[in-house]
Amino acid sequence: MKTVNRALRARTWTLEGAAVLLALVFLVPFYFLLVNSVKPYADILLDAAALPKALNWDNYSKAFDVMNFPRAFRNSFVITVSSILGLTLFGSMAAYRMVRKPSLYNRILFAVFVAAMVIPFQSIMIPLMKVGSWFHLVNSIPGIWVCYIGFGSSMTIFLYHGFVKSIPLEIEEAAVVDGCSPYGVFWRIVFPLLKPMTMTIVILNSLWIWNDFLLPQLMLSRAGLRTIPLSTFSFFGQYTKQWDLALAGLVMGVLPIVLFFLFLQKHIIEGITAGSVKG
């Protein structure tokens, strides 16, 4: 018995040690990012892995001014928040309709949304730009908002679809008996019960939209509409690469979404676990 316990403890320590090493590997890029964001440009080129000799906070002030960070932050915030609101409202209502009205049309529509998840964005970039120019969606925040809702609807509906199945139909029937309208059933009964999955969808889509570079690069060419990733990319030219300012800009751009993720991360496992159980 003692031999078995020792073997189990040794196996546990081995797995925990491997997990710690793996975590350290994933944290290495953050080390380089934070350490080099407070170094002069020459020290970064000399030894990027070394600790800074002195903290050079001027990188942050210069990057703040060059990026016009308040404007870039405002653009990223407006695009992210408006897109998340649209995805949450549209995805929850569409998934609820597909689950509660299981017609052939709804089953085909759901299959189309699921199939759209495997289409790579690079394959539709040129058609997207043509359609966007036809409908005057290019160089406008409402235009990129429409694009994000279109691209994010597939995963959002897929996640909501599994979660709605876990909600007992008897709850809705009781609300109808009490005189609740169909819209009242959804907004007063069903939507509050979708909170765990809603938080999961908000977090996942916020990480994607806030950090996205390719779609804003295609849709927003005007300087006044640049998001944080586009403003950070301005430090990289054909002949110059301002690593000191770019790394400081990356820290400022990543910090808000990292804090947002850490604050709400507990809802991810809760939402996915609950959505995997069918009622």
Side-chain angles (χ1 to χ4, degrees):
M1 191 67 180
K2 292 182 178 181
T3 303
V4 174
N5 292 334
R6 290 175 182 174
L8 290 175
R9 285 197 296 268
R11 181 180 179 183
T12 301
W13 291 341
T14 302
L15 293 175
E16 290 179 353
V20 171
L21 291 176
L22 185 62
L24 291 176
V25 170
F26 280 99
L27 289 175
V28 166
F30 291 96
Y31 167 80
F32 280 95
L33 175 64
L34 295 174
V35 166
N36 290 294
S37 67
V38 292
K39 284 183 181 180
Y41 182 74
D43 291 349
I44 296 176
L45 297 180
L46 184 64
D47 189 358
L51 292 173
K53 300 176 182 177
L55 299 180
N56 184 22
W57 298 108
D58 290 341
N59 291 345
Y60 285 88
S61 60
K62 293 178 182 178
F64 189 90
D65 295 333
V66 173
M67 293 173 62
N68 197 344
F69 189 80
R71 183 180 63 189
F73 180 87
R74 181 196 62 200
N75 293 336
S76 293
F77 182 81
V78 170
I79 292 172
T80 302
V81 172
S82 60
S83 300
I84 294 301
L85 288 175
L87 283 170
T88 302
L89 296 177
F90 172 75
S92 60
M93 290 188 291
Y96 176 74
R97 177 73 179 183
M98 293 177 188
V99 172
R100 294 302 188 230
K101 302 291 182 181
S103 63
L104 177 62
Y105 171 77
N106 284 336
R107 287 195 292 268
I108 294 175
L109 188 60
F110 178 69
V112 170
F113 275 111
V114 173
M117 295 173 63
V118 302
I119 300 177
F121 176 75
Q122 290 77 7
S123 64
I124 59 174
M125 287 192 304
I126 296 177
L128 172 66
M129 293 304 299
K130 289 186 177 181
V131 174
S133 62
W134 292 343
F135 292 96
H136 304 285
L137 300 179
V138 180
N139 279 325
S140 69
I141 289 181
I144 197 171
W145 173 75
V146 171
C147 293
Y148 275 128
I149 292 178
F151 289 123
S153 293
S154 296
M155 186 189 71
T156 301
I157 291 175
F158 176 75
L159 294 176
Y160 270 130
H161 193 275
F163 195 93
V164 171
K165 291 180 179 179
S166 67
I167 299 176
L169 186 59
E170 291 78 8
I171 298 177
E172 301 173 35
E173 293 174 347
V176 172
V177 171
D178 291 338
C180 202
S181 66
Y183 288 100
V185 170
F186 178 77
W187 292 113
R188 297 180 182 180
I189 306 300
V190 177
F191 192 74
L193 296 175
L194 296 177
K195 180 182 177 181
M197 183 52 67
T198 298
M199 298 306 298
T200 301
I201 289 171
V202 167
I203 295 170
L204 296 179
N205 284 316
S206 295
L207 292 173
W208 160 49
I209 296 172
W210 183 273
N211 296 314
D212 188 31
F213 173 80
L214 187 53
L215 184 58
Q217 175 73 1
L218 294 173
M219 299 290 294
L220 305 176
S221 58
R222 285 170 46 191
L225 298 176
R226 286 179 179 174
T227 59
I228 290 179
L230 293 183
S231 298
T232 305
F233 186 69
S234 64
F235 294 115
F236 299 95
Q238 183 176 1
Y239 302 105
T240 59
K241 294 178 176 60
Q242 298 174 284
W243 285 107
D244 51 344
L245 303 184
L247 292 172
L250 282 172
V251 173
M252 292 188 294
V254 169
L255 185 60
I257 199 66
V258 169
L259 295 177
F260 178 76
F261 173 78
L262 293 177
F263 182 72
L264 298 177
Q265 63 166 333
K266 64 179 181 180
H267 295 284
I268 293 183
I269 301 301
E270 180 183 355
I272 294 178
T273 303
S276 65
V277 180
K278 295 183 180 180

